[in-house]
Amino acid sequence: MNMILKKRIQRPHFHPIAWGVITGTFLSRTGFFMTIPFLGIYLGKEKGMDAAIVGAILAVSLFVGTLSSFIGGMLSDRLGRYPVMITSMIVWSLVFAGFAFADATWQFFLLSACNGLCRSVFEPTARALLADVTPAERRSSVFHARYFAINLGGALGPLIGLKLGMGGTSSFLPFIVSTAIFMIYAILLIGLRMRFAEQHHEKSETVSVKQMIHIVFTDKVFLYFLCGNVFVAGAYSHLDTTLSQFMGQRQVELYTFLFVVNTVSVLVFQYPLAKFMKRYTSLTSLKAGCLLFGLGLFGFGLFQNVLLLSLSMVIFTMGEVLCFVIGDVLIGEIAPEHARGAYYGASGFAALGQSFCAWFGGFLLHALGYEQGPILFGILMVFTFLAFPFFYQGQRTRERSEKNKPTRHTAA
């Protein structure tokens, strides 16, 4: 009995900074999912905007985020993780307050752009901080824990948002609650910086910005991964954009239910899938995830039965787990330690696919109408499958690179 207790006490644990980021991730994602997945419904029903304008507003967030992600990652390498994270989190909280009070179309464009800016600066910096304070052998576990926190917040957020009135007659309160939650996370980060400032060196002056750009954008394996991930990220964006508009006009409760199915499925399948896919390479897992993403998307337009829609969401979610968790692991495998922030920041360029697909989904809804689900989501499925040749070529390039590595011989 004492031996069992001793083993439990000696079980590997995360750094307190990592636990702080994971806890804050849960809080912020709860606040995020209370409101942002319903933003398309909010703009359409409460503000009277047509689907094309709503799609454009949502696309602006993703487009601006694409331009800022790499810069944010490099700034965190140069200035330190905490200054970048704290500043972006404070501004992000004010964005949610702005959504509650905005009325003019241009204001929503501006707020949507700021939302994308804050998210794409904060996220790669937070992932780099987790990698900084976590030993290599525990890094996969800490990213799984982070993703678990994201989806636990995703499971609770929509339910709380719907309860507070999001997607109904008034969405003021959910936006204000989200504002408060994001401000709490900013305060938590300030506390972590004060408590552990001496234990964690924030800045890295060893690599110039020019060198970072050269390292990242001459890595062929990473570039193939990034190009393929443009289409994968675009497929995922339809959950918050095209699907919310497609179902939200008539079935807000059903959309909320499917969103919860998505997040609960992540919690259920994340670790079993990770264990099963350990026998395959990261890029093989990404190809499998891409296939599941596309099939799940097509199911959203093909079915109307709740059970079949739920099955489609489970398939979609399995693709999400494979692509996003394994994607973070792959970056950790191929990124040099001295350019980690830059690699995580550059991975944000995949938001090009999110930006385009958010607009494209809204355009298809406007052009085809809400009664052409199979055609609409069939087109989106085909776009998703365009990731396959990039992942295939990336896998071949990496295999050739591994074969050409010189072997080390120990002296006799």
Side-chain angles (χ1 to χ4, degrees):
M1 185 66 177
N2 290 334
M3 290 295 295
I4 294 175
L5 291 174
K6 188 174 181 180
K7 286 183 179 180
R8 287 181 178 177
I9 293 173
Q10 293 178 345
R11 183 179 297 173
H13 59 278
F14 302 146
H15 192 283
I17 292 176
W19 280 119
V21 172
I22 292 168
T23 301
T25 297
F26 165 69
L27 292 173
S28 63
R29 288 311 175 95
T30 300
F32 182 89
F33 285 117
M34 280 172 52
T35 54
I36 297 302
F38 300 97
L39 186 58
I41 301 171
Y42 172 69
L43 295 175
K45 292 181 68 174
E46 293 195 32
K47 300 301 178 180
M49 301 179 187
D50 66 49
I53 292 178
V54 171
I57 290 174
L58 299 176
V60 163
S61 172
L62 300 167
F63 180 73
V64 172
T66 302
L67 300 180
S68 59
S69 180
F70 184 54
I71 296 173
M74 288 195 300
L75 282 176
S76 75
D77 283 334
R78 307 295 295 176
L79 304 178
R81 311 294 188 213
Y82 287 113
V84 174
M85 292 173 69
I86 292 169
T87 301
S88 58
M89 184 55 65
I90 291 173
V91 175
W92 208 354
S93 70
L94 298 177
V95 168
F96 283 92
F99 279 127
F101 293 99
D103 191 56
T105 301
W106 70 267
Q107 293 173 337
F108 285 106
F109 271 104
L110 177 62
L111 289 167
S112 183
C114 290
N115 178 51
L117 173 67
C118 292
R119 183 174 185 178
S120 291
V121 169
F122 183 88
E123 290 297 330
T125 306
R127 287 150 65 198
L129 178 60
L130 281 178
D132 289 343
V133 300
T134 306
E137 65 272 13
R138 299 179 192 166
R139 207 165 284 155
S140 176
S141 298
V142 84
F143 278 116
H144 275 291
R146 173 182 176 271
Y147 203 66
F148 186 91
I150 287 173
N151 288 280
L152 186 59
L156 296 176
L159 296 176
I160 297 173
L162 194 65
K163 189 72 174 178
L164 294 176
M166 200 69 201
T169 57
S170 177
S171 300
F172 177 82
L173 183 58
F175 282 121
I176 296 302
V177 173
S178 294
T179 300
I181 290 174
F182 275 64
M183 194 61 71
I184 289 171
Y185 192 7
I187 295 171
L188 173 62
L189 289 169
I190 293 171
L192 287 173
R193 187 185 188 189
M194 294 174 63
R195 173 66 177 83
F196 298 101
E198 296 181 358
Q199 298 182 24
H200 174 56
H201 182 65
E202 295 186 49
K203 300 179 184 180
S204 174
E205 302 289 347
T206 58
V207 182
S208 69
V209 172
K210 184 177 180 180
Q211 288 173 315
M212 288 183 190
I213 295 173
H214 176 77
I215 291 169
V216 172
F217 294 103
T218 56
D219 188 328
K220 290 183 179 180
V221 176
F222 177 74
L223 290 178
Y224 281 125
F225 159 74
L226 184 58
C227 289
N229 215 35
V230 166
F231 297 98
V232 167
Y236 179 73
S237 72
H238 295 300
L239 179 62
D240 294 340
T241 57
T242 310
L243 185 63
S244 72
Q245 294 181 75
F246 180 70
M247 302 192 71
Q249 290 291 328
R250 297 166 295 178
Q251 299 170 299
V252 177
E253 290 79 9
L254 178 57
Y255 171 69
T256 304
F257 172 75
L258 290 177
F259 203 90
V260 173
V261 170
N262 168 258
T263 51
V264 171
S265 296
V266 171
L267 304 181
V268 172
F269 291 111
Q270 178 181 345
Y271 289 102
L273 272 176
K275 184 177 181 180
F276 177 76
M277 295 306 293
K278 280 183 178 180
R279 67 191 72 182
Y280 303 103
T281 65
S282 296
L283 285 164
T284 298
S285 297
L286 289 174
K287 288 189 289 184
C290 179
L291 174 64
L292 294 172
F293 252 143
L295 294 176
L297 271 177
F298 186 56
F300 295 148
L302 188 63
F303 303 121
Q304 295 183 357
N305 179 272
V306 175
L307 290 178
L308 292 176
L309 284 171
S310 298
L311 176 61
S312 298
M313 182 59 80
V314 170
I315 293 172
F316 181 91
T317 303
M318 293 173 71
E320 173 190 345
V321 170
L322 289 178
C323 288
F324 293 155
V325 177
I326 300 301
D328 276 346
V329 173
L330 177 64
I331 294 174
E333 291 173 356
I334 64 179
E337 185 175 351
H338 55 271
R340 184 177 294 139
Y343 266 74
Y344 280 115
S347 68
F349 281 114
L352 280 170
Q354 292 181 312
S355 180
F356 173 78
C357 287
W359 168 82
F360 188 57
F363 170 78
L364 288 176
L365 279 172
H366 185 71
L368 299 175
Y370 291 84
E371 305 301 324
Q372 301 297 325
I375 297 175
L376 190 156
F377 283 95
I379 294 172
L380 300 181
M381 177 183 67
V382 172
F383 266 85
T384 303
F385 290 162
L386 293 178
F388 277 113
F390 293 103
F391 289 151
Y392 173 76
Q393 193 61 38
Q395 186 172 12
R396 290 191 60 189
T397 302
R398 192 177 187 196
E399 288 171 354
R400 286 198 299 266
S401 177
E402 292 292 334
K403 288 180 180 180
N404 293 332
K405 279 185 178 180
T407 56
R408 295 184 180 181
H409 300 279
T410 55

